[in-house]
Amino acid sequence: MTEFDLTIRGATVVAGGDVVACDIGIHDGRIQALAEHLPAGRRDIDGRGRLVLPGGVDGHCHFDQPTMDGSRMADDFLTGTRSAAFGGTTTVIPFACQMKGRGLRAAVDDYHLRAAGKAVIDYAFHLIVSDPTPEVLANELPALIDEGYTSFKIYTTYDDLKLDDRQILDVLSVARDHGAMVMVHAENADCIAWLTERLEGQGKTAPGYHAASRPAVVEREATHRVIAFSELVDVPILIVHVSGADAMRQIRWGQDRGLRIYAETCPQYLFLTADNLAAPGFEGAKCICSPPPRDAGNQQAIWDGLAGGVFQIFSSDHAPFRYADPQGKQVHGEKAAFRYVPNGIPGVETRLPLLFSGGVREGRISLPQFVELTATNPAKMYGLYPRKGTIAVGADADLALWDPQVEVVISNDKLHHAVDYTPYEGITVHGWPMTVISRGEVVCDGGELLAQPGQGRFLRCGLPRPAMPKSARPLFDGDLGRLF
Ligand code: DUC
Ligand code: ZN
Ligand code: ZN
C-alpha cells in the first residue's frame, strides 16, 4: 500500500450521512482510505476531540465583482478565500458577472484575471446573465457550459442586472437544453421601485426603510412567477437567498407539485431582523442586503425549512462592502438614501460556525444535515460532487477539523476578510473549525494561515444531476401537446 502523505487519527468523522470514528489516509491530495486503524503517514494529525467534516462549499459569495455605482467590493480572491478558509470552507463559487452590452466570455476572462494567483482554496465560477442576446443564448452560454461554467444566476430586480419575463424564459430554455443549473434572485423590481418612490416622497430614506421597500409580498410574487416559468419550460431552478415564510410557501407548493424547485437560505435570515436595519443613524446600512432580513417569526420559519427539507443549501451570499469607506456603504455619503447604499453583507467566515452553533448545537438540525446543507448539496447542485463536499475514498482531501466545544464571541477583529465590520458582532457561538485542509495541505491551523496565494485551483464544474429536467424529451419536439 502507498504510504500516506497525511493520516488523521482517532477523529469523529461525518461521512456518507453517518457519524463514525475512523482514521483518514490522504495521498496526493485525495482521500485514499477510511478505516478504523491506518498506518502512520509521513505526517500524522491527532484528531482526538475533533469532529472532521468535509470542507464547506460556499455556493454563493461575491468577491471582487465589478459594480456600476462607484463602489468596490472589499474582498478579492485572496482575502475572500482566506476568510472562507478560516471559517471551514474549502471551495467557493463566486460570480463572473456579465455587464449589459458586453459578452459573457469577456466577463469570464476578466474574472479569471482577477482570481489569478490569489486564491488559497479551490474555486469555480457561476455566471451572471444580465444581457441574453441571441449571440449569448445561441453560442456563448452553450460554449461556456461545455467548458465547465454550468450554473448561472439571473435577477428579477436591480436595473443593471434584471431580466424581463421573456428573457427569463429564454435563459431557462438554454439551461434545459444544455443541462445547467439556474439560480434565481426573486424580487419584483417594479413593486420595489414603486414603493421606494413613495417612501422617498414621505422623506423615509433612512436605512431602516430598505426593508419596507422590499416586503415579503414582493419576494413572494417573484418566487411564484419563476416557479411557474420553471414548470412551463420544464427545467429545475434554485431560488437563492430565501428570506422567510411567504417565499417558502411558494417553494413548498412547487415541490409538492412535483417540480424540481430547489432553495437556498443564508445566515442573515436566521440571525438578523429588520430591526438591525433600523439601527440609529446610518448604522443600519451595515445590514442592507436583498431580500432584507425579516422578523423573529420568519427566522423560525427558515429554521423549520432547514430542518424539514425545503432548503437544500445554506450559503453566505457574502457581498463585502466596507462601512466607513467612500467606496463602500458610504459611496453616496454617510446620509445617503437607502436606495443608494450598496447591497450586501459579509459572512463567508461566519456562515458555518453560526449554523453549527445555532443549528447542530441547539438541536435544530443533525450533524449530517449540517454537512448536506453546507457542503454535499452545494457540490451536487453545482456539478462538483463527489470530488468536493464529501469525505469518501477518491474525493479531494478537503477537510475541516472542528473543536465542537470551543466558545467564540464573534468580533470583527478576529475575522480575516477585508471588511471593517461584521453584522454578527457580539454573537456567541459554540464550535469553530481549528484546522482546515485543502487537497491534503493544511491551509489554516490554530489561527495561522499556512497557504500561499495562488494555491487554490480553478474548478471546471460538471453538469449537475439535479439540473436534469423531469422529462427527458426535448421541450419542443414537434409535439406541443405536452404543454397544454
Ligand atoms: N443581494 C444580492 O442579490 N447579491 C449580493 C448582495 C445582496 O444583498
Ligand atoms: Zn441575489
Ligand atoms: Zn448574491
Side-chain angles (χ1 to χ4, degrees), residues 60-62 65 73 95 128 153 155 157-158 161 185 187 210 214 240-241 268-269 287-292 317-321 329 342-345:
H60 186 161
C61 49
H62 305 266
Q65 188 178 307
M73 288 195 171
F95 297 83
I128 290 175
K153 184 174 177 190
Y155 289 78
T157 185
Y158 298 136
L161 300 171
H185 178 130
E187 289 181 293
H210 174 76
R214 311 173 97 101
V240 294
H241 44 49
Q268 48 270 39
Y269 307 116
C287 295
I288 285 190
C289 61
S290 295
D317 197 9
H318 180 85
F321 295 98
K329 292 283 185 181
N343 270 241
I345 61 175

Side-chain angles (χ1 to χ4, degrees), residues 304-325:
D304 294 344
L306 285 166
V310 174
F311 296 108
Q312 289 69 46
I313 68 174
F314 185 79
S315 314
S316 68
D317 197 9
H318 180 85
F321 295 98
R322 289 169 57 82
Y323 175 67
D325 193 318

